[in-house]
Amino acid sequence: MSSKQRVGIIGGVRIPFCRNNTAYADVGNLGMSIKTLGSLVEKYGLHGVELGEVAMGAVIHHSSDWNLAREAALSSGLAPTTPGITMARACGTSLDTAIHIGNKIAVGQIEAGIAGGSDTTSDVPIVYGRKLQQRLLATVRAKTPLDKLKTFLRGFSLGELKPHFPGVAEPRTGKSMGDHCEQMAKEWKISRQDQDKLAWDSHQKGAAAYQNGFFKDLVVPFRGVERDNILRPDTSLEKLATLKPAFDKTSGQGTLTAGNSTPLTDGASAVLLGSEAWAAARGLKIQAFLTHAKVAAVDFVHGEGLLMAPTIAVAQMLKDANLTLQDFDFYEIHEAFAAQVLCTLRAWENADYCKNRLGLDAPLGSIDPARMNVNGSSLALGHPFAATGARIVATLAKLLEEKGSGRGLISICTAGGMGVTAILERP
């Protein structure tokens, strides 16, 4: 990221992430966003302050949430003159919003802003088919009450009243993300045991992070919930091994299960970014700096792994930053599925992949597993699609602050065959 001024990560906050249809079943994206933004405003004393922009988004949302960021900002305690922009890139949404705010700060368009995201699979939009839609629109256009009645009833069938729920399949392939990841696991020969081990590690690290107080200033209670209700510190490799395949249920070779895949999750998160001058003027400390970012996409329709785009984005970003894959103290790799993380790591180690797909003379190599997702990640904490990026940014910035100096890498895969990546640094 070429910049006139450095982009500071001041800190973040989120509500506990909850399994869908539990604590937040009746809240919705706006309610969760307001609670999260309001908590961030309170944490940093921003009541009545006009920021350059609030950027938020949601993947699953009602049409009435078209202006989610602005509506949430208006109820957050910020000055009502703070603009808002609503944007989305599937699971990378709130890392994208952080990059968006960061870019504006870097070139001097704004001095500070908030990035975040919210998602719910409990309060989903339920719609009806195009046939009923066209029938209703034609009814509205009819002139008299009798014409309206005739128009509505003409050719009507009860089947038109069948509701349609949001789908999780890729429009281009008709396959779910889990189906695509099963294909990736087979291609890269990722074992069920390795997937279960990564999932178990995530739960253990997440539980330890809560135990040692790491999340105390990052997670604010909401609806009587004080910590992510997906976290299972008492799970075991033996329990995980008993779960049946969740996607490939018939071939006998399926390895993705409910235990090594992220559950449907509700939640919201936000992070405050600012220039050094703005932070200093308000007496706020900067935890880390956003220094580089990259987005990439793969041709999954014609055979590439749907969730492999981060391998490309990271390689390009490392070139931009003149760094190697080993030049990091922390790696925050979003755990959409344990298999996705393991495929990514294996690809970076693979000479053929790095040469033929990434255009490199040598493999990127291995990373130290002790530096990856050190406080757990999405398998244990949950994955509200648009909220994960800001959760990771806030987590990594705090890790770097606690260490005193260092560098961290963020890697997030998304639906649609894309990947969003970033580098945070603390000199």
Side-chain angles (χ1 to χ4, degrees):
M1 184 182 295
S2 176
S3 62
K4 296 179 181 178
Q5 56 184 353
R6 295 197 294 181
V7 178
I9 308 293
I10 296 167
V13 74
R14 65 181 177 90
I15 57 176
F17 291 171
C18 288
R19 191 177 298 272
N20 73 329
N21 295 317
T22 59
Y24 308 153
D26 61 340
V27 182
N29 282 314
L30 182 58
M32 293 190 293
S33 297
I34 289 171
K35 171 62 179 179
T36 303
L37 276 183
S39 298
L40 192 68
V41 167
E42 183 175 347
K43 180 176 180 178
Y44 292 107
L46 301 177
H47 289 278
V49 174
E50 179 184 305
L51 297 182
E53 186 143 82
V54 170
M56 297 191 74
V59 178
I60 307 294
H61 60 86
H62 294 276
S63 58
S64 58
D65 286 336
W66 62 273
N67 208 11
L68 178 66
R70 173 64 172 155
E71 292 296 334
L74 285 170
S75 297
S76 68
L78 291 170
T81 50
T82 298
I85 183 171
T86 302
M87 51 196 297
R89 194 202 302 270
C91 309
T93 294
S94 56
L95 179 53
D96 258 314
T97 59
I99 295 167
H100 169 80
I101 294 294
N103 284 338
K104 286 197 166 189
I105 293 170
V107 299
Q109 289 183 1
I110 64 175
E111 289 298 315
I114 292 174
S118 170
D119 247 301
T120 173
T121 49
S122 301
D123 180 28
V124 300
I126 300 173
V127 299
Y128 295 87
R130 181 169 177 78
K131 195 170 182 180
L132 181 61
Q133 177 207 41
Q134 293 300 307
R135 181 181 301 280
L136 292 171
L137 291 173
T139 300
V140 170
R141 290 192 295 267
K143 300 298 184 183
T144 69
L146 182 59
D147 287 341
K148 290 180 184 293
L149 180 62
K150 289 179 179 179
T151 301
F152 182 80
L153 293 176
R154 188 178 300 123
F156 174 76
S157 68
L158 289 175
E160 294 176 32
L161 297 178
K162 182 181 179 181
H164 295 258
F165 294 85
V168 294
E170 286 290 334
R172 299 278 173 167
T173 64
K175 297 176 181 177
S176 71
M177 188 178 288
D179 293 329
H180 277 280
C181 197
E182 275 282 14
Q183 292 179 326
M184 290 165 46
K186 291 179 174 66
E187 177 185 352
W188 288 98
K189 297 179 172 56
I190 306 299
S191 73
R192 165 74 181 270
Q193 292 74 19
D194 286 347
Q195 294 175 54
D196 286 350
K197 177 63 164 58
L198 191 147
W200 181 79
D201 283 342
S202 188
H203 282 278
Q204 296 304 302
K205 290 184 285 190
Y210 270 104
Q211 185 68 28
N212 66 31
F214 180 83
F215 290 124
K216 187 172 183 179
D217 65 337
L218 293 178
V219 178
V220 294
F222 186 47
R223 285 295 185 96
V225 182
E226 296 187 353
R227 75 178 205 172
D228 313 300
N229 73 4
I230 291 146
L231 188 61
R232 295 289 181 269
D234 59 345
T235 195
S236 65
L237 291 172
E238 292 73 23
K239 290 179 181 177
L240 290 170
T242 65
L243 298 176
K244 295 180 179 180
F247 300 100
D248 180 359
K249 302 178 182 180
T250 57
S251 74
Q253 299 178 342
T255 57
L256 273 70
T257 71
N260 58 40
S261 308
T262 51
L264 294 175
T265 314
D266 303 338
S269 62
V271 62
L272 176 65
L273 299 90
S275 68
E276 291 176 278
W278 185 87
R282 297 201 62 82
L284 298 173
K285 295 181 179 179
I286 289 176
Q287 295 182 318
F289 294 94
L290 173 62
T291 58
H292 294 83
K294 206 76 174 181
V295 178
V298 294
D299 184 6
F300 68 96
V301 178
H302 296 102
E304 286 196 276
L306 177 73
L307 306 179
M308 296 299 287
T311 64
I312 301 163
V314 165
Q316 295 173 348
M317 183 172 65
L318 291 175
K319 182 179 180 181
D320 291 346
N322 195 27
L323 295 170
T324 72
L325 186 59
Q326 292 70 41
D327 289 336
F328 295 88
D329 300 282
F330 302 105
Y331 302 85
E332 287 290 329
I333 302 179
H334 162 48
E335 299 167 343
F337 304 89
Q340 186 278 328
V341 177
L342 295 169
C343 286
T344 295
L345 298 179
R346 192 158 292 181
W348 286 334
E349 296 168 348
N350 186 277
D352 288 341
Y353 184 85
C354 288
K355 178 180 179 180
N356 298 325
R357 185 60 183 91
L358 304 183
L360 302 175
D361 294 330
L364 287 175
S366 303
I367 69 171
D368 181 354
R371 300 182 180 188
M372 185 180 78
N373 299 343
V374 298
N375 289 308
S377 191
S378 305
L379 286 169
L381 307 178
H383 174 40
F385 307 126
T388 288
R391 170 189 69 77
I392 290 175
V393 170
T395 296
L396 181 54
K398 181 175 178 179
L399 282 170
L400 291 169
E401 181 186 39
E402 288 186 343
K403 186 177 181 298
S405 64
R407 183 184 295 119
L409 182 146
I410 299 172
S411 172
I412 299 178
C413 60
T414 88
M418 297 179 286
V420 188
T421 63
I423 294 173
L424 302 189
E425 300 184 66
R426 182 178 174 90

